[in-house]
Structures are given as C-alpha cells and as structure tokens.
C-alpha cells in the first residue's frame, strides 16, 4: 500500500493548531467507547473500510485517494456545520473501531446519522452504543427533533441498527436508478 503525503501527521506549529482545533469537537464517553475528534492516524481504519467490500454502502470499494476525501469530509463538517464525525475508540485498549457521524453530503436533504465500523467492531453493539450517544447529542446539544439515516436497501445490518435505535422507514430516494432508503429518528421521545 502506497501512502499519500496527506496521510502524514502534522508536526510543529501545524500539529499544535490541529490539536487546538480538535479540542472543539465534543468528546463523549460510554462504558466501552470514547467518541473523539478524528486524527490523521485514524485514516487507516477508514481506508480499511472504504477501500474494501465493507465500503459498498458509502460508494466503495474506493481508491485510497477517494477514501481520503471521505475522511476529510467526515472531519471538516465540524467547522462548516457544527457537526461532523467522531472516531470510535475502545475506552480500554485505545483501538480505533470505526466512525460515527452527523454528516451532510452533497445531495442529502438533511443531516444524516451514519456509521463506518471496522470488522472487529461488528456484532458487539458498538454501533448501537455510539448511535445512542450521538442521538442524545443531537437532542440535548443541537436541540434537533429529527435526524435521518440514508441506507442502501442491501445493507441489512445498517437497517437493523437504525430500527434498533428507533428509526422508522420514511420513504426512499431514487437517483440515477439507485434506490436509497430513508430512516427517520424522532428525537422528541424520551430514551
């Protein structure tokens, strides 16, 4: 695998500035997880997802360069919209398990709750735990009453997770012959 120059962590004054900016991303904890600002070193996890069949739900498998653009978008949402992506870190080992985000991609009609989980995080309710945390953030901090997940109909695991988190199917979007299901979370209910 050939690394791109953009995958190099900043040093010196640039590292200090990046560190200051990352403190503005709200960090959250659950019993097993730390949700924190993405770091350059987290990119390998995203590339492992996006550049393989695991990335099919987000347009993959991608090239490493396209995965980098996805990573930058996930990270930059904080500066542009006041919401974005968190890296999911195992609270005990420090391992990166994936990402959860409130994202807003071109073509989205409203912000989306999205998940990108590493294979080692599957089947452990990591997505559910992170999703609950982010839905609470959307309710308590952003004061939103609704949020959606846009899901490929073939992604049965994401559909099951959205439903477990309380989302209900709210239509579909058909674009260039591709169908995307819309699942809506009502954030006015008491969890």
């Amino acid at each position: 695998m050939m690394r791109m120059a953009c995958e190099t962590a900043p040093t010196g004054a640039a590292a200090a500035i990046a560190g200051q900016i990352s403190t503005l991303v709200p960090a959250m904890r659950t019993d097993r997880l730390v949700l924190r600002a993405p770091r350059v070193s987290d990119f390998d996890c995203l590339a492992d997802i996006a550049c393989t069949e695991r990335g099919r739900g987000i347009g993959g498998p991608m090239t490493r360069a396209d995965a980098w653009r996805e990573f930058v978008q996930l990270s930059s949402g904080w500066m542009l919209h006041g919401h974005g992506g968190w890296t999911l870190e195992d609270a005990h080992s420090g391992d990166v398990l994936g990402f959860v985000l409130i994202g807003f991609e071109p073509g989205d009609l409203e912000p989306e709750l999205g998940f990108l989980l590493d294979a080692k995080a599957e089947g452990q309710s990591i997505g559910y735990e992170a999703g609950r945390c982010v839905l609470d953030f959307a309710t308590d901090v952003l004061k939103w009453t609704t949020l959606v997940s846009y899901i490929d109909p073939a992604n049965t695991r994401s559909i099951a997770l959205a439903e477990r988190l309380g989302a209900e199917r709210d239509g579909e979007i058909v674009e260039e012959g591709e169908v995307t299901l819309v699942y809506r979370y009502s954030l006015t209910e008491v969890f």
Side-chain angles (χ1 to χ4, degrees):
M1 155 191 56
M2 179 135 182
R3 293 200 176 274
M4 301 174 290
C6 58
E7 295 180 52
T8 304
T11 59
I17 292 168
Q20 288 174 335
I21 291 170
S22 72
T23 65
L24 299 176
V25 174
M28 300 183 286
R29 281 188 84 88
T30 69
D31 290 340
R32 299 182 300 161
L33 300 173
V34 175
L35 285 73
R36 61 162 174 80
R39 300 177 189 140
V40 172
S41 59
D42 301 335
F43 174 65
D44 280 337
C45 179
L46 187 128
D48 287 346
I49 297 166
C51 297
T52 67
E53 287 298 314
R54 293 188 63 72
R56 193 163 289 291
I58 58 167
M62 297 179 182
T63 65
R64 198 160 177 93
D66 287 339
W68 177 259
R69 284 186 273 283
E70 187 78 20
F71 185 69
V72 168
Q73 182 175 326
L74 173 139
S75 304
S76 66
W78 290 106
M79 289 180 29
L80 301 174
H81 294 288
H83 55 77
W86 288 270
T87 294
L88 301 177
E89 183 178 279
D90 184 294
H92 306 290
S93 70
D95 290 345
V96 175
L97 302 174
F99 306 87
V100 64
L101 70 144
I102 300 174
F104 207 37
E105 296 181 347
D108 287 354
L109 301 176
E110 54 192 300
E112 170 187 22
L113 173 60
F115 302 89
L116 300 165
L117 297 178
D118 188 82
K120 66 185 168 208
E122 290 283 345
Q124 299 179 48
S125 294
I126 297 294
Y128 178 81
E129 195 169 321
R132 278 278 14 105
C133 197
V134 172
L135 288 171
D136 288 345
F137 174 83
T139 303
D140 300 339
V141 177
L142 300 177
K143 306 297 184 198
W144 290 354
T145 58
T146 187
L147 191 60
V148 299
S149 286
Y150 300 111
I151 306 175
D152 182 311
N155 193 340
T156 57
R157 293 187 86 137
S158 288
I159 291 169
L161 175 57
E163 290 175 345
R164 186 169 174 220
L165 286 166
E168 295 182 4
R169 186 155 168 201
D170 188 25
E172 59 187 41
I173 299 168
V174 180
E175 202 170 83
E176 297 180 18
E178 298 285 323
V179 175
T180 301
L181 304 178
V182 179
Y183 276 81
R184 184 167 304 281
Y185 305 88
S186 174
L187 304 180
T188 57
E189 299 174 15
V190 177
F191 295 104

